[in-house]
Structure formats: C-alpha cells, structure tokens
Amino acid sequence: MTVLAEKSPDMDTELLALREALERRLDSLLPAGGERDRVRAAMREGTLTPGKRMRPLLLLLAACDLGCDKSHPGLIDLACAVEMIHAASLIIDDIPCMDNALLRRGRATIHRQFGEDVAVLAAVALLSSAFGTVAAAEGLSGNCRAQAVAELSAAVGLQGLVQGQFQDLKEGGACRSSEAIATTNDLKTSMLFDATIQMAALAADAPPVVRQKLRGFAQDLGQAFQLLDDLADSHSGSGKDLNQDAGKSTLVALLGAEEVHRRLQNHLQSADRHFAFVCHQGLATRHFMHRWFNQQLATLR
Amino acid sequence: MTVLAEKSPDMDTELLALREALERRLDSLLPAGGERDRVRAAMREGTLTPGKRMRPLLLLLAACDLGCDKSHPGLIDLACAVEMIHAASLIIDDIPCMDNALLRRGRATIHRQFGEDVAVLAAVALLSSAFGTVAAAEGLSGNCRAQAVAELSAAVGLQGLVQGQFQDLKEGGACRSSEAIATTNDLKTSMLFDATIQMAALAADAPPVVRQKLRGFAQDLGQAFQLLDDLADSHSGSGKDLNQDAGKSTLVALLGAEEVHRRLQNHLQSADRHFAFVCHQGLATRHFMHRWFNQQLATLR
C-alpha cells in the first residue's frame, strides 16, 4: 500500500494537467452570461469554485487504466457531467428547507449569494446540462451515451442522491444502527461514485463482467469517502459549516473516531483489491485514491 | 379547419385507450412505496393526479402520424418521460420561493401536502427518472435514445423551462413588450413541446429536414398553449390558484382578451400548416390539436 501512496512527480504533473483540462472544459460547458443572467452565474459559482474534483479525476484516471485512450474527445465531457451532478446536489443539500447551510467551499452558499429561487433553478439546470452533456459526448457510440445517461439517472434518483438526502433529513436525528447509517451513506455517496466508474468503464468499452466487479470498488470507495466526511465535519478548514452534522446520528458519534478510521482503512483496502482484480494495466486510479485519502486524513491530525 | 375539429367516435375511443395506456405505464414507472417513502408518494401525486396529458398524447399521435408503429414498445416511455418533466416543472414552479401556489389540478400543491424539502427532492427525482426512462426506452437505437435525451435536456435547461421560469419571476411584474412576453412564453412552453415533437420524430425515424420543419409546429403550438393559459387564469375551474398572474405582465393584460383570442387562432392555424406540410399520412395530430383547444376554449365562455 505504501508504494501506491508514494509521491510521484509524474503523477503530480499529470493530475495538474487533468485538473486544468477539467476546469477549462467546465468553463466552456457553462459559459458566462450577461449581468442579469443570474441562473447562469449561480451555475458557474456552484461548479467552477475550486473544489477537490475527486469524481471527475477518478473518472479520467479509471477510464485510462481500463484502456481508454487519454485523448478520447468525449471522456472529459463525461467527467464534467459528474461534477455538474455533484455541484447540483450540493446546492440542493444546502438550501433552507434542507440543511440550511451558510458556507460551502469556504464561500457563502449559492442560495445566500443568489436567492433560493435562483439556487433551485441553477441546480435543475445543472442536472439537465449534465444529462445533455453525456448524451452529446463526442466519439462515443449512441448506445454507450444512452447507458451512461441511465447510470447517472440511477445515481441521482430514488436509488441514489435523492433518497440519501431524504433519509438523512428524516432519520438523521434519530438513533440509527451503524448498518442504517452505512445504507444512507451508500445512497448519498457510493451511487455517484458507481456512476462515475461505470461511465469510465463504458468509455473504455469494458465488458459487463468487469463493470460488475467495479461496482464493488465504487461501493467501498463511497463508504470510505463518507467516513472521511464524517471525520472532517468536526474539524475546521473544510470550508463548510462546522458541526453541520451535530445532532445527526453519524458513525463517528456512534463508534468513535478511532473505529471510524479503522473502517475507513478497511474500505480503502477492499476498494484497492476490487480495482486491482479487474485492472492489470494501470496503477493511476489506485495511486490517486490512496494519495487523496492520505492527504485528506493528514489535514485532520 | 371545421372538419379537423369535428367529433369522431373513433378518435374518442383511440384517445381513451391511449390515455389509459399512459396512466398504466406512468403507474408502473413510478411504483408506490411504503408508508414512509414520502418522496415516492410525492412523485406519484405530482404525476398521477389526473391531468390533461396533452404533451404525452401529442407525442404518441404525432409519432404514429409520422409513420411510427403504434405498437412500438419504447414510444409510451418517451411519452411518460415528457409527462414526468412537466410534472417536475409544476412542482418547482409552485414552491414557496417561486410562485408559492396553493392549488394545482384542484388539489393542494405538492409542497403543501409533503413539505418543501420532499417537493424539491421529488422534482429532482422526476427529472432524473425522465432522463433515465428515455435512455432505457426499448426498441430504439442507442443514437435515437441519446438524441432524445439531448432534446429533453435542451427543453429543461437554460434555453428552456429554467430560463422561462426565471424570466417570469424576475421580469413578470415589470412592464414588458408583447415580444418579450412571447419570448418568455416560448421558453416556458414551446421548448417542451419542441422536445415532445422531436422525440416523436426520432421514434418515427423522420429525416432531419422534417424534424426541422416540426420545430415551427411546436413553437406555434406552445405560443397558442401559453395564450390559452393566460386566458384561463382569470376563470375559475382551472384547478389552479385564481389570478396567479395578477400583477404579472401577461398578453391578456397588455392586449385584451379579444386580441389574445385572435392571436391564439393565428398560432393554431400556423401550427396546422406546419404539421400538414411535413405529414401527409395521418390527421390524428391535427384533429387532436384543434379539438383540444376548442374544448378548452369552450370552458372559458
């Protein structure tokens, strides 16, 4: 595991280049409008404000590890679509009737900057743009684009983000078992990771058996990610409201930070095994995953 | 024109059968959940409550007029997707930070029945389901499904429903020219009619030149529809809040009801010519359109 997590100048350079390409493409998919074009401005603010870009980077790296050509013209659009869905989900989670959050990525939340009406419309337009971007991605077969839309749709809807947010709102305050919390985490996080990885596999033309195995990778990764999010909640520097989860039943509250750290590492190791099992060509995804978590965990010490 | 609008027992029977098939398919695409499954219940309430079903019926009739087989397995799913998008847009238009409406289709609006958080999540899930339903529609090529997703996406986003709702919110109270009002109406209504007709044409494998001509049909139909909506606003029996547009600059306020009636008829005639120009096979779409408007206008007398 240590080898995979080591710092490599090549990888730093590659990640920087991928990140820059992502920012450029997001900027061109969401062009600035006139001064009165508030919905467009809110979409840009919600998406282009510097973020970790974990999902789109993961999509790009996984697709290449799975054999997709790095210069595939549609790949970056799939990655941007995932980031738009993520941005839309954050805008919606933050509005007054949901978490009523004040800060996101260190800035006032979208509804505080633009009003709640514009925030909701921006989220709807981002969701819609994401589906449209996937449907029109260059260099992919119609079947591949349609399957990618179906994957994204599953990640957003009643089996994904929407249901996760609903369970969190309605049951977060109640006393829940660690299994119930894991299920909510799965809906809130793993489903979008799953769509991310499935779209990478579709772009790489991976066979169904590989795509099925990759679902296990996404599920472990999503669980690890949500555990990290729970750990980070009580620390400053996340750019979000502190203690947003205060009063909600999280795994940190239920099991303690040490046990959550242990489970997080277990999920990471399991994710690593899943990916290694189906992909012998590239190590970029596994490198990226381990380094990313190590960096994030280091900020919590 | 009179011949087209005449009552035909065959058409009544056909419409009834199509409507029943639509209701059944919507019901199975949005299955009921458990008692605690409030988002699912709100999606069903927002979609299955009896409505006019104009868009999905239009899609089914236009596709068949354009040469698509009536028994095409994916056709009804495209029609249901359009109705889901429409239902989602109504839920969002009604929430407190938008129109803050109390009634819709004669019942309490979704946020009043289920809470604003559930209403927003139900709308997001309906949008997402619509895209997923199109992406997975049976018997259509991948390319056709992907193009249909792109059409729906254009109808929802910044060139469609979202921008129309934003303009209505921000500029509805100000004094606008009839051209500015027509542009907003175009965004709010014609774009979804356009996607509806384009999906019908895609299912019927219509050539690009026909699809282009059909955009003119959808635009006239959308304008006529919005004019009817403006006329209906001041009448009881619409099932919506009365005078929801009071204080907004509508064409009725600007031009008077008589001129609006005249313009509505001009748009209908223009729509009729557009459709007749590209479609010599069937008359069902044109019959349906004229009869539908005649029936609605009769309720305003």
Side-chain angles (χ1 to χ4, degrees):
Chain A
M1 205 70 70
T2 325
V3 174
L4 282 176
E6 264 178 6
K7 198 169 164 64
S8 133
D10 284 356
M11 183 146 200
D12 282 346
T13 313
E14 189 186 349
L15 281 178
L16 193 64
L18 288 179
R19 185 183 279 273
E20 283 173 1
L22 269 172
E23 306 294 338
R24 276 196 306 275
R25 186 63 184 148
L26 279 172
D27 186 78
S28 77
L29 287 170
L30 303 169
E35 200 182 321
R36 297 170 66 196
D37 213 340
R38 301 287 289 163
V39 181
R40 199 180 282 276
M43 290 168 79
R44 285 173 61 84
E45 173 74 18
T47 315
L48 302 178
T49 300
K52 300 182 190 117
R53 310 289 185 223
M54 195 210 187
R55 292 162 191 80
L57 287 172
L58 191 69
L59 188 149
L60 296 173
L61 295 171
C64 294
D65 273 353
L66 292 163
C68 181
D69 192 325
K70 211 180 274 188
S71 63
H72 189 301
L75 197 54
I76 194 125
D77 284 2
L78 300 184
C80 288
V82 169
E83 190 66 10
M84 288 185 214
I85 296 278
H86 178 56
S89 78
L90 298 183
I91 293 173
I92 287 172
D93 286 2
D94 287 344
I95 58 176
C97 68
M98 306 279 179
D99 293 348
N100 197 17
L102 300 175
L103 289 175
R104 171 72 68 179
R105 290 173 174 172
R107 300 161 77 119
T109 42
I110 299 299
H111 62 274
R112 286 182 63 221
Q113 289 188 52
F114 296 89
E116 193 177 355
D117 50 356
V118 172
V120 170
L121 291 176
V124 167
L126 278 172
L127 285 170
S128 164
S129 275
F131 288 111
T133 299
V134 171
E138 264 184 74
L140 295 161
S141 72
N143 207 34
C144 175
R145 284 176 280 140
Q147 280 189 71
V149 168
E151 291 290 344
L152 260 195
S153 164
V156 174
L158 270 181
Q159 308 299 322
L161 293 169
V162 162
Q163 189 67 13
Q165 176 66 10
F166 175 66
Q167 288 190 8
D168 221 29
L169 281 173
K170 297 297 166 188
E171 298 164 13
C175 187
R176 291 184 295 175
S177 67
S178 61
E179 289 74 22
I181 297 172
T183 304
T184 300
N185 290 352
D186 222 30
L187 293 165
K188 283 197 79 170
T189 312
S190 301
M191 287 298 291
L192 189 53
F193 277 117
D194 190 29
T196 301
I197 296 297
Q198 289 301 314
M199 293 207 290
L202 283 164
D205 210 11
V209 62
V210 167
R211 289 183 53 198
Q212 193 50 43
K213 285 276 176 198
L214 286 169
R215 297 204 188 268
F217 167 72
Q219 195 171 19
D220 275 312
L221 187 61
Q223 291 285 353
F225 192 86
Q226 194 66 39
L227 293 172
L228 179 70
D229 205 48
D230 283 4
L231 285 168
D233 179 64
S234 53
H235 282 74
S236 61
S238 69
K240 296 194 287 186
D241 298 6
L242 285 183
N243 290 310
Q244 183 70 33
D245 290 344
K248 284 188 183 176
S249 61
T250 65
L251 282 173
V252 175
L254 200 66
L255 306 169
E258 198 175 333
E259 172 64 12
V260 169
H261 269 284
R262 200 188 59 78
R263 292 193 179 195
L264 190 160
Q265 291 301 336
N266 284 349
H267 280 298
L268 277 187
Q269 283 170 32
S270 174
D272 189 75
R273 282 193 299 274
H274 280 296
F275 201 86
F277 186 82
V278 293
C279 180
H280 318 288
Q281 293 166 301
L283 291 168
T285 308
R286 295 162 62 202
H287 268 295
F288 171 70
M289 177 182 79
H290 289 294
R291 288 186 54 204
W292 194 88
F293 274 92
N294 283 348
Q295 283 166 0
Q296 301 297 317
L297 287 168
T299 65
L300 304 184
R301 280 190 196 120
Chain B
M1 204 70 69
T2 324
V3 174
L4 282 175
E6 264 176 8
K7 199 168 165 64
S8 133
D10 284 356
M11 183 146 199
D12 281 347
T13 312
E14 189 187 348
L15 281 178
L16 192 65
L18 287 178
R19 185 184 280 273
E20 283 174 1
L22 269 171
E23 305 295 338
R24 275 196 306 275
R25 186 63 184 148
L26 279 171
D27 186 78
S28 78
L29 286 169
L30 302 169
E35 200 183 320
R36 296 170 68 196
D37 213 340
R38 302 287 289 163
V39 180
R40 198 180 284 274
M43 290 168 77
R44 285 173 61 84
E45 172 72 18
T47 314
L48 301 179
T49 299
K52 300 183 191 116
R53 311 289 184 225
M54 194 209 187
R55 293 161 190 80
L57 287 172
L58 192 68
L59 189 149
L60 297 173
L61 294 172
C64 294
D65 273 353
L66 292 163
C68 182
D69 192 326
K70 211 180 272 189
S71 63
H72 189 301
L75 197 54
I76 195 127
D77 283 2
L78 300 184
C80 288
V82 169
E83 191 65 10
M84 287 185 214
I85 296 277
H86 177 55
S89 79
L90 298 183
I91 294 174
I92 288 174
D93 286 3
D94 287 344
I95 58 175
C97 67
M98 306 280 179
D99 294 347
N100 197 17
L102 300 175
L103 288 177
R104 171 72 68 178
R105 291 174 173 172
R107 300 160 77 119
T109 43
I110 300 298
H111 62 273
R112 286 181 64 221
Q113 288 188 53
F114 295 90
E116 194 177 355
D117 50 357
V118 171
V120 170
L121 291 175
V124 167
L126 278 172
L127 285 170
S128 166
S129 275
F131 288 112
T133 299
V134 171
E138 263 185 75
L140 295 161
S141 73
N143 207 34
C144 176
R145 284 176 280 141
Q147 281 188 69
V149 168
E151 291 290 343
L152 261 195
S153 164
V156 174
L158 269 181
Q159 308 299 322
L161 294 169
V162 162
Q163 189 67 15
Q165 175 66 9
F166 176 66
Q167 288 189 7
D168 220 28
L169 280 173
K170 296 297 165 188
E171 298 163 15
C175 185
R176 291 184 295 176
S177 67
S178 60
E179 289 73 23
I181 297 173
T183 305
T184 300
N185 290 353
D186 223 29
L187 293 164
K188 284 198 77 168
T189 311
S190 301
M191 288 297 292
L192 189 53
F193 277 117
D194 191 30
T196 301
I197 295 297
Q198 290 299 316
M199 294 206 292
L202 283 164
D205 210 12
V209 61
V210 167
R211 289 184 52 198
Q212 192 51 43
K213 285 276 176 198
L214 287 169
R215 297 206 188 269
F217 168 73
Q219 195 171 17
D220 275 311
L221 187 62
Q223 290 287 351
F225 192 86
Q226 195 65 39
L227 293 173
L228 178 71
D229 206 48
D230 283 4
L231 285 168
D233 180 64
S234 53
H235 283 72
S236 61
S238 68
K240 298 195 288 187
D241 298 5
L242 285 183
N243 290 309
Q244 183 68 34
D245 290 345
K248 284 189 183 176
S249 61
T250 65
L251 282 174
V252 175
L254 200 66
L255 306 169
E258 198 176 333
E259 172 63 12
V260 170
H261 269 284
R262 201 187 59 78
R263 291 192 179 197
L264 191 159
Q265 290 300 338
N266 285 349
H267 280 299
L268 277 188
Q269 283 169 32
S270 175
D272 189 75
R273 282 193 299 273
H274 280 297
F275 201 86
F277 186 81
V278 294
C279 181
H280 319 288
Q281 293 166 300
L283 291 169
T285 307
R286 294 162 65 201
H287 268 295
F288 172 70
M289 178 182 78
H290 288 294
R291 287 186 55 203
W292 193 89
F293 274 92
N294 284 348
Q295 281 165 3
Q296 300 298 318
L297 286 167
T299 66
L300 303 184
R301 276 186 202 125

